[in-house]
């Protein structure tokens, strides 16, 4: 028993340690999100529903076959086939019917319905792919936010480590009488402020991880974290392409545009189906029915008897006639009645629409409106894409310039801080001015980190419009 407990504890500890050690890459985050996202699963069901609709469309070309069977009891006043009199009795009958019908011409509605079903499957695929694109962008943004928060925390900790060194150095200078004690208090205040910044950065990192985990539908926030990788600034020549070049390429593969184009094709096919309702329809039919009775029958025996029917007036000689002697027999065998009582019907049926309350014509007009609406939506989607690409191109260029400016500012602030530190160490600068120099370099470093990840994300968005995948940074 103890051995089992130890083994179980070991296995649980191993699994827990493995769960803690798991680090999520951007590729794994995107893959997991696309697999577990509820909206994606719902759209996949829509695609499956479209496949079922295609099966219905194929079925419209097949004949319809219906078979019916009934068994009835007639209780009450019925004709007795033996005596020919009306009597209170119970009779039983079984009837079978079969009917086959096939459309020969239906205004091309069946053909257009099948084509529409194929278009619907394609449209749902584009819709699903477009949704996955949006989710991928959201995951990439959340992933980069975690990286930014983590690097921001590292910057805050590095700054605090430098301040701790300055604090120790200032304590020595105060003890030696080189600088006043007020300078030490100023450095201590700076260290306290940086400790608060570390706490805020830790909280921001935790919130960014939670936000990404929620996007992935993961509720184990404590053990969720992204991979420990140092993402350098990616090299890209995407800005060498004009927004119009990127837009023209995006039109060839963007799923949102293809989805809008598929909706136009669907609307046009709905219009064709509506027009088919104005044309005549021709169908062929065949019917079969039979009836089986369980009632006794009057049948001839083959023997005859002479029956008087009157007298000859002149001779009063009796006049007789021969009549077959009848007998009561049971019903004929089931399958014999089946073939003996069956009947067939077949023919063609032509329906010509003449007046139906303007429903068919109004349906055509309504679908014409839908076609125009779909075309307008396609144009609007293209305009939105054009605007989004121009905005993304401008944002990327501005973010890169901001990143370059932040780098230059950080370099300058770092040089000024080093110079101020040298002066402070020899007592040529007071603690307030030194704290201001340190604060400026801290802000410059934080701004450099922010502009770096802002540029990375905007760059990936622009590359995404150009057809470059997001799964790698």
């Amino acid at each position: 028993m103890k051995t089992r407990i130890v083994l179980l504890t070991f296995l649980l500890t191993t699994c827990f340690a493995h769960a803690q050690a798991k680090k999520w890459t951007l590729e794994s985050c995107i893959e997991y999100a696309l697999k577990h996202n509820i909206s994606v699963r719902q759209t996949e069901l829509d695609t499956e529903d479209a496949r079922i609709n295609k099966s219905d469309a194929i079925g419209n070309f097949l004949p319809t076959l219906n078979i019916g069977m009934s068994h009835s009891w007639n209780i009450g006043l019925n004709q007795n086939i033996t005596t020919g009199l009306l009597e209170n009795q119970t009779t039983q009958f079984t009837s079978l019917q079969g009917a086959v019908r096939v459309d020969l011409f239906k205004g091309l509605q069946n053909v257009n319905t099948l084509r529409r079903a194929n278009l619907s499957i394609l449209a749902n695929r584009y819709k699903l792919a477009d949704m996955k694109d949006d989710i991928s962008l959201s995951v990439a943004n959340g992933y980069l936010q975690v990286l930014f928060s983590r690097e921001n925390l590292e910057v805050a900790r590095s700054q605090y480590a430098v301040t701790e060194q300055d604090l120790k150095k200032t304590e020595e200078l105060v003890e030696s009488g080189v600088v006043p004690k007020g300078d030490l208090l100023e450095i201590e205040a700076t260290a306290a402020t940086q400790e608060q910044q570390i706490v805020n950065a830790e909280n921001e990192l935790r919130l960014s991880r939670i936000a990404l985990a929620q996007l992935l539908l993961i509720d184990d926030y404590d053990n969720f974290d992204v991979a420990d990788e140092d993402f350098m600034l990616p090299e890209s020549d995407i800005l060498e392409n004009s927004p119009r070049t990127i837009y023209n390429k995006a039109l060839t593969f963007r799923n949102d545009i293809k989805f809008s184009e598929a909706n136009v094709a669907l609307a046009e096919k709905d219009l064709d189906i509506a027009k088919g309702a104005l044309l005549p329809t021709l169908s062929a039919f065949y019917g079969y029915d039979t009836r089986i009775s369980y009632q006794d029958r009057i049948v001839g025996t083959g023997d005859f008897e002479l029956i008087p029917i009157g007298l000859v007036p002149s001779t009063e000689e009796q006049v007789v006639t021969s009549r077959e002697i009848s007998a009561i027999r049971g019903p004929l065998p089931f399958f014999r009645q089946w073939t003996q009582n069956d009947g067939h019907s077949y023919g063609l049926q032509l329906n010509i629409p003449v007046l139906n309350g303007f429903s068919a014509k109004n349906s055509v007009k309504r679908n014409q409106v839908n076609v125009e609406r779909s075309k307008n939506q396609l144009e609007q989607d293209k305009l939105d894409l054009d605007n989004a690409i121009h905005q993304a191109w401008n944002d990327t260029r501005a973010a890169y310039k901001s990143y370059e400016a932040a780098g230059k500012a950080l370099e300058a602030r770092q040089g000024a801080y080093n110079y101020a530190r040298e002066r402070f160490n020899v007592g040529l600068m007071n603690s307030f001015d030194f704290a201001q120099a340190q604060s400026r370099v801290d802000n410059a470093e934080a701004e450099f980190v922010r502009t770096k990840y802002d540029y990375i994300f905007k760059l990936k968005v622009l590359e995404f419009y150009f057809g470059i995948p997001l799964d790698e940074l």
Side-chain angles (χ1 to χ4, degrees):
M1 182 66 180
K2 292 182 178 180
T3 304
R4 292 181 179 178
I5 295 177
V6 172
L7 180 59
L8 180 59
T9 304
F10 174 75
L11 291 175
L12 291 176
T13 304
T14 303
C15 293
F16 182 74
H18 177 72
Q20 283 187 321
K22 179 177 176 58
K23 299 290 185 178
W24 292 74
T25 63
L26 177 59
E27 182 179 2
S28 62
C29 285
I30 293 177
E31 181 180 353
Y32 188 90
L34 296 181
K35 183 178 180 181
H36 295 85
N37 186 270
I38 296 177
S39 298
V40 169
R41 295 205 297 257
Q42 288 290 85
T43 306
E44 288 174 345
L45 292 178
D46 292 339
T47 304
E48 183 62 26
D49 188 60
R51 293 192 183 98
I52 296 174
N53 291 336
K54 179 180 179 179
S55 180
D56 288 338
I58 295 175
N60 291 335
F61 291 92
L62 303 178
T64 59
L65 172 62
N66 296 288
I67 298 176
M69 179 178 181
S70 65
H71 185 87
S72 61
W73 287 264
N74 296 325
I75 302 175
L77 191 64
N78 292 285
Q79 185 179 28
N80 189 324
I81 62 173
T82 303
T83 63
L85 301 177
L86 293 176
E87 300 177 0
N88 286 321
Q89 59 179 335
T90 300
T91 58
Q92 296 185 60
F93 297 94
T94 297
S95 61
L96 298 98
Q97 306 86 28
V100 178
R101 187 181 187 88
V102 61
D103 292 325
L104 301 179
F105 179 76
K106 200 177 179 181
L108 300 179
Q109 286 182 313
N110 291 342
V111 174
N112 289 324
T113 300
L114 178 58
R115 292 174 179 172
R116 188 196 186 283
N118 289 324
L119 287 172
S120 181
I121 293 175
L122 187 61
N124 277 279
R125 288 175 180 171
Y126 290 142
K127 179 182 177 181
L128 178 61
D130 182 51
M131 183 177 296
K132 289 181 177 181
D133 290 344
D134 293 339
I135 293 173
S136 299
L137 278 175
S138 298
V139 171
N141 187 25
Y143 190 88
L144 289 174
Q145 184 63 42
V146 174
L147 296 182
F148 163 71
S149 300
R150 176 188 289 171
E151 189 164 337
N152 195 41
L153 175 60
E154 292 300 323
V155 169
R157 288 172 175 172
S158 299
Q159 293 168 349
Y160 180 71
V162 174
T163 302
E164 281 188 320
Q165 295 177 0
D166 293 336
L167 182 60
K168 293 179 181 179
K169 182 66 175 178
T170 304
E171 289 176 347
E172 295 175 356
L173 294 175
V174 170
E175 291 177 357
S176 62
V178 176
V179 295
K181 187 176 181 179
D183 289 351
L184 176 61
L185 296 176
E186 191 69 34
I187 297 298
E188 289 177 345
T190 300
T193 301
Q194 290 180 342
E195 285 182 350
Q196 184 180 8
Q197 291 174 349
I198 291 175
V199 173
N200 293 336
E202 289 174 342
N203 185 57
E204 182 182 352
L205 176 58
R206 173 172 171 78
L207 291 178
S208 62
R209 286 206 309 259
I210 291 176
L212 180 58
Q214 290 175 340
L215 188 60
L216 301 182
L217 300 180
I218 296 175
D219 54 7
D220 187 9
Y221 304 142
D222 294 332
N223 295 319
F224 177 80
D225 199 2
V226 301
D228 296 323
E229 299 182 36
D230 184 16
F231 287 97
M232 304 301 294
L233 195 69
E235 296 182 0
S236 177
D237 57 355
I238 187 67
L239 288 174
E240 296 179 3
N241 297 280
S242 66
R244 179 56 55 183
T245 301
I246 299 175
Y247 170 74
N248 290 333
K249 183 176 181 181
L251 288 178
T252 63
F253 69 89
R254 285 287 300 176
N255 292 301
D256 51 351
I257 300 299
K258 291 184 178 297
F259 177 63
S260 294
E261 292 173 344
N263 283 336
V264 173
L266 283 173
E268 291 174 343
K269 201 55 61 180
D270 286 334
L271 177 60
D272 293 338
I273 295 173
K275 289 180 178 179
L278 300 175
L279 300 177
T281 61
L282 178 64
S283 59
F285 64 87
Y286 169 79
Y288 174 84
D289 65 88
T290 187
R291 179 183 176 92
I292 294 92
S293 172
Y294 300 92
Q295 196 171 3
D296 292 339
R297 301 169 296 126
I298 299 177
V299 298
T301 61
D303 298 328
F304 294 86
E305 61 179 349
L306 297 177
I307 302 298
I309 59 174
L311 297 173
V312 178
S314 60
T315 63
E316 293 185 355
E317 183 179 356
Q318 191 175 41
V319 179
V320 296
T321 185
S322 176
R323 185 180 68 180
E324 186 178 12
I325 300 174
S326 300
I328 299 176
R329 297 287 186 271
L332 289 173
F334 182 90
F335 288 102
R336 182 176 176 184
Q337 290 192 64
W338 182 313
T339 57
Q340 180 175 295
N341 300 330
D342 65 358
H344 306 266
S345 62
Y346 54 89
L348 300 174
Q349 182 176 357
L350 177 66
N351 290 322
I352 302 175
V354 178
L355 181 64
N356 48 28
F358 304 112
S359 61
K361 290 184 178 180
N362 288 337
S363 178
V364 172
K365 294 179 181 178
R366 191 175 296 110
N367 281 280
Q368 287 174 339
V369 172
N370 289 335
V371 170
E372 293 303 317
R373 184 181 291 113
S374 299
K375 290 181 178 179
N376 291 336
Q377 185 61 49
L378 173 60
E379 293 303 316
Q380 184 62 53
D381 291 341
K382 289 182 177 180
L383 287 175
D384 292 342
L385 178 62
D386 190 24
N387 293 334
I389 289 176
H390 276 82
Q391 184 67 45
W393 193 88
N394 290 329
D395 289 345
T396 303
R397 185 177 64 173
Y400 181 71
K401 291 182 177 180
S402 297
Y403 168 74
E404 284 186 325
K408 293 177 181 179
L410 176 59
E411 184 178 358
R413 292 298 184 188
Q414 188 67 49
Y417 170 75
N418 292 335
Y419 177 70
R421 186 177 184 182
E422 292 176 358
R423 296 189 64 194
F424 176 75
N425 289 337
V426 297
L428 297 178
M429 177 179 285
N430 60 45
S431 60
F432 177 78
D433 292 336
F434 178 67
Q436 292 299 311
Q438 186 172 18
S439 176
R440 285 190 288 268
V441 76
D442 292 346
N443 293 335
E445 194 164 4
E447 180 66 11
F448 178 75
V449 173
R450 186 196 67 79
T451 56
K452 170 186 173 182
Y453 282 99
D454 182 60
Y455 169 65
I456 289 176
F457 179 69
K458 287 181 168 57
L459 176 64
K460 299 309 292 185
V461 171
L462 186 61
E463 288 180 343
F464 189 65
Y465 284 124
F466 200 63
I468 301 175
L470 287 169
D471 53 1
E472 295 182 2
L473 287 176

